[in-house]
Amino acid sequence: MSESPVRRRPPGPADELDLAGIRDDPLAFLTELATEYGDLCSHRTRGEVVWFVNRPDLVRHILKDNYTAWTKAGTPDDFMLTPLLGTGLLTSDGPVWERQRRLCAPAFRSRQVAAFDTLMTDAAADLADAWSRAAREGRSVRVDHDFTALTLRIVADALLGADLAAAGPGFGRAVDDINRFIGHFDGEPTAPVVADAAFRRLRGSYLAAQTFLERVVGMLVAARRYTGPPPDRPADLLDAMLAARDEHGDTFSDRELHDQVLTMVMAGHETTAKALSWTVHLLDRHPEHAAAVRAELARVLGGRPPRAEDLPRLELTRRCLEEAIRLYPPVWLISRRAGAEDVLDGLTVPEGTLVCISPWTLHRHPRVWEAPEEFRPERFAASARQARPAHAYVPFGGGPRVCIGQSFATTEAVLVLGTILQRLELRGVVGHPVVPEALVTLRPRDGLLMTPHLLADGGTR
């Protein structure tokens, strides 16, 4: 006979904590919280008790086993992202989300994703050309900025069949302005308006960027509905979503389609760019693994561009990517509210409770990961994967709401790495700090400044 759940708050600091203090260094705060108070703990801020979950079985319960009892409504993600992205897959809930997921799923099938491999490697080769010129001139490059531009180009081309460079530099600048504003916004809808001039400028840039993105995406969707797919290229993800029908034979409305497209453009490029940035940073710090990756690329590819069919043989390249996003997960915090009363580890979770999960701390759990701070790509060999508990590794979330673009992002990242690392070695600039900063995504606080060096083939195509 099971014991009745206990109605009490999990252990944690007794005093109310200042949110500004938490936001100064949220990664350190979460690490200290889990270390001092355990895998299920809590803290109070702004009059609300927030639960923090840091154990794989509890994470699985929230994200998979009982996911319908947990909602994204009223979470920091909801407050920050819904005004920008509308009700897309990232922000919707319940039956609305389920319908959207069914309609979007065909666009992200493996065969559909594989069809974009040349698009991905052509874009990566153009970046490698630019970095090869920098190598010849002895110049350093902002790797994180260049990867962001690259992944934006790829997702826009694959999703929309559109070169967003045609929108001028405005699209990339708009994305930067939005990320800058959201990264400094505390996620509370009732937060007082700051009378500071710098904040007003930041907010003004955000609103202008939001309007710009709305118009560009709306124009592209409307044009595709009117003209149909371009005749000189394979169907893209937008074609697949336009053709999708739900169980009633209904399609996405214009508003729904707009929200999905904007969600996928925004979420689909930012996280992959950060994954690529952290991977090349760690390979620079671990030259023995970088040499092993280059040897794999030489053996499998022999100097030619990688293709989707090469992915099963680029195993080490993929393992390095996966280990990089274990250590530096681009999505560093996942939040849910209890839509109904639930039980975690024998404690009753009251309805409405905000619960947070951090891949940053979960991926460093000492009882799951041996030497968790070390870069060990062998953790992602098949046998090591099988030995780990489910939901110990959640860079793309987990359960039914796992990121629908996971296959696209992983395929893209491995193909980009395979294209660039055959031609160039990227070395960090001595003295330039590389410190993780937890904003919308986990990014290098001062950017990632590296110097490209040509490999033996001269870096030419």
Side-chain angles (χ1 to χ4, degrees):
M1 186 174 180
S2 61
E3 296 182 4
S4 299
V6 177
R7 292 185 176 274
R8 64 173 173 81
R9 170 185 164 182
D15 296 333
E16 174 135 347
L17 304 181
D18 177 38
L19 183 60
I22 294 172
R23 292 178 65 225
D24 283 344
D25 192 346
L27 302 178
F29 168 74
L30 293 172
T31 300
E32 292 166 6
L33 193 66
T35 300
E36 185 167 352
Y37 295 103
D39 293 337
L40 180 60
C41 52
S42 66
H43 66 280
R44 180 185 290 275
T45 185
R46 288 194 170 178
E48 177 175 34
V49 174
V50 181
W51 292 35
F52 181 52
V53 171
N54 194 49
R55 203 173 74 206
D57 60 315
L58 300 179
V59 172
R60 173 177 173 148
H61 176 85
I62 293 168
L63 298 185
K64 182 180 180 182
D65 296 341
N66 200 31
Y67 82 97
T68 57
W70 296 86
T71 178
K72 299 191 83 170
T75 64
D77 281 353
D78 180 27
F79 299 143
M80 289 189 293
L81 298 178
T82 300
L84 171 67
L85 302 178
T87 311
L89 273 175
L90 197 61
T91 53
S92 60
D93 259 312
V96 172
W97 171 82
E98 291 171 358
R99 176 177 179 272
Q100 291 177 354
R101 183 82 179 203
R102 286 194 299 271
L103 284 169
C104 289
F108 290 90
R109 289 173 181 152
S110 297
R111 184 172 60 183
Q112 182 84 23
V113 170
F116 299 119
D117 60 350
T118 302
L119 179 157
M120 295 171 178
T121 55
D122 284 351
D126 286 345
L127 178 57
D129 285 346
W131 284 354
S132 294
R133 290 191 292 273
R136 295 187 188 97
E137 296 166 5
R139 288 188 289 110
S140 298
V141 295
R142 272 292 299 266
V143 167
D144 55 321
H145 280 182
D146 289 349
F147 274 144
T148 297
L150 171 71
T151 56
L152 179 58
R153 169 182 167 179
I154 289 171
V155 75
D157 203 354
L159 180 63
L160 299 168
D163 179 2
L164 289 179
F171 203 99
R173 188 168 64 245
V175 170
D176 283 345
D177 286 344
I178 284 167
N179 285 329
R180 193 175 300 114
F181 177 74
I182 293 177
H184 291 86
F185 178 53
D186 63 14
E188 289 292 337
T190 57
V193 175
V194 179
D196 179 79
F199 179 85
R200 290 200 302 271
R201 286 195 298 270
L202 202 64
R203 187 171 185 273
S205 296
Y206 166 82
L207 294 174
Q210 182 181 26
T211 300
F212 176 81
L213 293 181
E214 286 264 348
R215 289 175 178 172
V216 171
V217 171
M219 178 190 68
L220 291 169
V221 170
R224 183 62 61 83
R225 279 204 188 274
Y226 181 68
T227 64
D232 57 344
R233 56 169 282 148
D236 53 36
L237 302 182
L238 179 55
D239 293 324
M241 287 193 289
L242 281 166
R245 299 287 187 277
D246 64 17
E247 64 273 21
H248 305 296
D250 295 329
T251 62
F252 277 127
S253 69
D254 284 350
R255 183 72 243 179
E256 287 177 317
L257 197 59
H258 171 278
D259 291 351
Q260 300 306 338
V261 168
L262 191 52
T263 294
M264 290 170 188
V265 168
M266 293 295 290
H269 86 279
E270 174 78 1
T271 52
T272 308
K274 296 303 173 285
L276 286 165
S277 297
W278 289 118
T279 302
V280 298
H281 166 67
L282 286 166
L283 287 174
D284 173 50
R285 295 291 178 90
H286 299 86
E288 71 283 7
H289 291 298
V293 167
R294 287 195 294 272
E296 177 181 79
L297 296 173
R299 182 177 67 254
V300 173
L301 303 175
R304 65 173 173 80
R307 293 291 177 256
E309 59 264 27
D310 298 315
L311 291 173
R313 294 187 295 158
L314 297 178
E315 188 176 1
L316 178 59
T317 307
R318 178 171 178 148
R319 287 180 191 174
C320 288
L321 169 72
E322 291 174 318
E323 174 69 346
I325 59 177
R326 179 190 70 83
L327 283 166
Y328 297 102
V331 177
W332 60 276
L333 191 69
I334 299 168
S335 56
R336 296 286 189 273
R337 280 199 184 272
E341 189 175 276
D342 201 359
V343 177
L344 290 176
D345 214 23
L347 298 181
T348 298
V349 186
E351 181 178 353
T353 299
L354 178 63
V355 176
C356 293
I357 298 161
S358 176
W360 172 267
T361 57
L362 187 67
H363 292 177
R364 287 170 162 75
H365 200 301
R367 290 200 295 276
V368 177
W369 309 92
E370 183 182 352
E373 297 293 338
E374 294 183 9
F375 181 68
R376 295 184 179 182
E378 61 270 20
R379 300 181 202 273
F380 292 92
S383 57
R385 290 176 189 274
Q386 293 167 4
R388 274 195 297 275
H391 289 71
Y393 180 70
V394 290
F396 296 96
R401 291 198 70 130
V402 68
C403 176
I404 197 171
Q406 178 176 355
S407 175
F408 186 99
T410 303
T411 297
E412 175 186 2
V414 173
L415 293 179
V416 167
L417 291 169
T419 302
I420 291 173
L421 297 182
Q422 284 191 96
R423 298 173 55 186
L424 295 159
E425 181 182 1
L426 296 164
R427 300 177 194 163
V429 172
V430 176
H432 181 78
V434 181
V435 178
E437 182 180 30
L439 295 178
V440 183
T441 53
L442 190 67
R443 58 181 62 197
R445 184 192 62 199
D446 302 296
L448 186 58
L449 190 63
M450 306 187 82
T451 305
H453 295 264
L454 298 172
L455 297 177
D457 65 359
T460 58
R461 274 197 278 174

